[in-house]
Amino acid sequence: VDSIINHKEINAALESTKKASQDPVAIKAILEAAKERSFLTNYTPGKSEYVQGLTVEECATLLNIDANNADLMDMVYDTAFAIKNRIYGNRIVLFAPLYIANYCVNSCTYCAFRAGNKGLQRTALSDDDIREEVGALERQGHRRLLVLTGEHPKYTFDQFLHALHVINSVKTDPCGNIRRVNVEIPTLSVSDMRRLKATDCVGTFTLFQETYHRPTFAKMHVSGPKSDFNHRLLTQDRAFRGGIDDVGIGTLFGLYDYKYEVLAMLQHSNHLEAEYGAGPHTISVPRLRPADGSDLSIRPPYEVDDANFKKLVAIIRIAVPYTGMILSTRESPQMRDELLQVGMSQMSAGSRTDVGAYHRDDNEATEKHLGDLSGQFSLMDHRTASEVVKDLMAKGYVPSWCTACYRKGRTGEHFMKIAKAGNIHNFCHPNSLLTLQEYLNDYGDEEAKKIGEQLIAKEAAEGLSDSAKRMLSRKMAKVNAGEHDVY
Ligand code: SAM
Ligand code: SF4
C-alpha cells in the first residue's frame, strides 16, 4: 500500500514546484509536452516506461497555479479542452444512478446513510420495485445505470447479485432496455469479484477512496468495515484479480487538501496501469454536499471553491488523458457547463439518491420532489433527463447512450489500447449519433427532435471519412425503420 500512495513524493512535489507554478514559460512547456504525449500511437499495455499525461511533479506544478491567474489558467483550460476533444470529441455519455438499498453499518461522517443517522427511513427495493425503477429510467431514455448500495448484513451480496439479475431482465419499455450496468458498492473480496464477473452483466466496478490521506480517512470513517484504509485502497486490485477489467476511482473533494488528493489519485492510477496494463476506466470527482445527519453539512473541512474545482478537473484530464471523467448532479447546471468544457466525458442526468424515487415520482405525478435532503446527499442539478439532453444538444454536444465497446469486447487493456492511441473517436462518433437518433425517435418531443436532427446532420457531414459516412447512413436507415441497439 505504501508503494501505491507515496506520501513523501506528493509533499516534496508540492513544495518544490511552487516557483515554477508562477512561471508562464515553465507552464507552457509542461502543457505542450503533455499534449504531445496524450496519444501513444505505439502504445503497448503494461509498458510503463511510456509516460502519458503528466508526471507527479508536472501535475504538482499545475496544481500550484493560482486559480485566479487568468492567463495561466486559460493555457491549462485550452490544453484540457484540446485533449478531451481529440480523444472524446463532443460526445457526452449519459447515465443515471440507481440506489437499491440505504441500510449501512458504516459511519462516514459526511453521508446521510451512515449508521448513526437514526432519522433516516431504511429500505431496500423489492424485485417489483426494481422493475418499476428500471422501467421509469428506461422511459426517460436511460440505457446505462450506475447501481449503488450502502453496506449492511441486512442487504447481502447475494441479494445484490439477485438485484442485478432482475435489472437485466427488465424490458418494460418497448423501446429498449438497460444495456450497461456499472456498480458502486462496498468493497469485495477477490472471490466475490469473481462472482460479480460471472454474472456477465456488470461493466465498471467503481469505488471512491474518499480521501487518500490516511489520518483524514481515519477521522472520517471511525467505525465499520469501511474504516480499513488499506483494504479499501486495494479494492481495484482485487477487482482486476477477480477478472473485472474496467475499474473506476474517485475522491470526495472537501475532506482534505485537493492538491494532495489529485496527486495521490494520479499515483493510484499509475499503479493500476503498471500492474494490470489498464489505468482507471473512469475517474469521478464528487464534491462534498450537505447531507442529512452529517456532521460536515455546515462546512467541509477543506472546502474546494469553484475556481479551484474547475482547475483540478482540467488538470486530471491532462494528467490521465485516456480516462472517462464523470460529472454528477452534485454540481449546479452552470458549473456542469463549465466542467464539460475542460474535460468531463460522462454525466448523470435526472438523478435521485433516495431509494425508490424514480417510480415514486412517476406514480405520484402531483407530488413534487420529496425535498432536498431525503437522499444520500443534496443535489444541485434538478433538471429532468430530457431537459439535460436538450440543453446539451443546444450547446453543440452529442448526448450518447452508446454501449458498443462492451458488446464488442473492447474493455480493459483492449479499450486502453484504442483510447490511448486516440482512436475511440472513430468508433464512438457514428455510434453515438445512432443512439441519439434512437432516443429522438423514442422519447424526443418536437423541440428535441428539431435540435437533435439538425445536430445529427451537421455531425454526420463533418469529420467522417466517406466510407464511415456511407456506413452511418446505412445504419441510420435501420434506426429510422424502428430497429433498436444498432451499432
Ligand atoms: N456505500 C458504498 C461506499 O461508500 O463505498 C458505495 C458508494 S456510496 C452509495 C456513493 C458515494 O457517495 C460515496 O463513495 C461518497 O463519495 C459519496 N457521498 C457520500 N456522502 C456524500 C456527500 N455528503 N456529498 C457528496 N458525496 C457524498
Ligand atoms: Fe454507507 Fe457508503 Fe454512505 Fe459510507 S458513503 S455511510 S459506506 S452508504
Side-chain angles (χ1 to χ4, degrees), residues 99 101-115 122 149-152 184-186 210 220-221 226 232 252 376-377:
Y99 282 76
N102 63 5
Y103 295 109
C104 200
V105 284
N106 288 312
S107 60
C108 313
T109 342
Y110 41 80
C111 178
F113 293 175
R114 64 203 280 249
R122 307 283 169 168
T149 65
E151 180 163 21
H152 201 283
E184 191 179 330
I185 53 172
E210 318 294 11
M220 297 294 156
H221 310 95
K226 188 164 163 181
R232 192 160 180 93
L252 184 53
Q376 192 192 9
F377 44 81

Side-chain angles (χ1 to χ4, degrees), residues 197-341:
K197 171 74 182 170
T199 60
D200 215 20
C201 64
V202 165
T204 311
F205 187 100
T206 294
L207 190 96
F208 305 156
Q209 186 61 25
E210 318 294 11
T211 170
Y212 287 93
H213 186 250
R214 199 183 278 273
T216 304
F217 188 93
K219 243 194 279 171
M220 297 294 156
H221 310 95
V222 284
S223 61
K226 188 164 163 181
S227 58
D228 185 339
F229 180 95
N230 291 357
H231 189 70
R232 192 160 180 93
L233 186 61
L234 293 173
T235 302
Q236 284 78 7
D237 292 71
R238 287 193 298 280
F240 276 121
R241 287 172 192 194
I244 291 178
D245 48 8
D246 286 343
V247 298
I249 61 174
T251 306
L252 184 53
F253 286 99
L255 297 182
Y256 187 61
D257 175 23
Y258 73 88
K259 296 180 186 174
Y260 184 95
E261 303 289 17
V262 171
L263 293 177
M265 198 146 64
L266 178 59
Q267 290 180 336
H268 192 184
S269 161
N270 290 343
H271 158 74
L272 297 173
E273 161 71 22
E275 198 71 23
Y276 307 101
H281 191 72
T282 56
I283 292 184
S284 302
V285 290
R287 194 158 48 148
L288 203 56
R289 297 280 311 137
D292 250 357
S294 157
D295 296 349
L296 306 178
S297 278
I298 299 166
R299 206 169 183 85
Y302 283 80
E303 194 167 13
V304 187
D305 65 20
D306 286 354
N308 279 302
F309 193 62
K310 184 173 170 187
K311 176 179 86 173
L312 75 86
V313 167
I315 293 172
I316 294 173
R317 167 48 69 219
I318 301 169
V320 195
Y322 54 84
T323 199
M325 283 190 74
I326 299 187
L327 177 56
S328 78
T329 53
R330 292 174 182 88
E331 300 300 330
S332 68
Q334 296 73 17
M335 196 63 200
R336 299 222 300 168
D337 277 354
E338 295 210 17
L339 298 175
L340 284 176
Q341 288 167 30

Side-chain angles (χ1 to χ4, degrees), residues 74-101:
D74 281 348
M75 286 201 275
V76 172
Y77 295 145
D78 290 349
T79 307
F81 177 76
I83 291 174
K84 189 224 152 179
N85 229 27
R86 179 141 179 230
I87 299 186
Y88 286 98
N90 57 351
R91 296 178 300 284
I92 303 293
V93 168
L94 293 179
F95 72 95
L98 172 60
Y99 282 76
I100 304 259

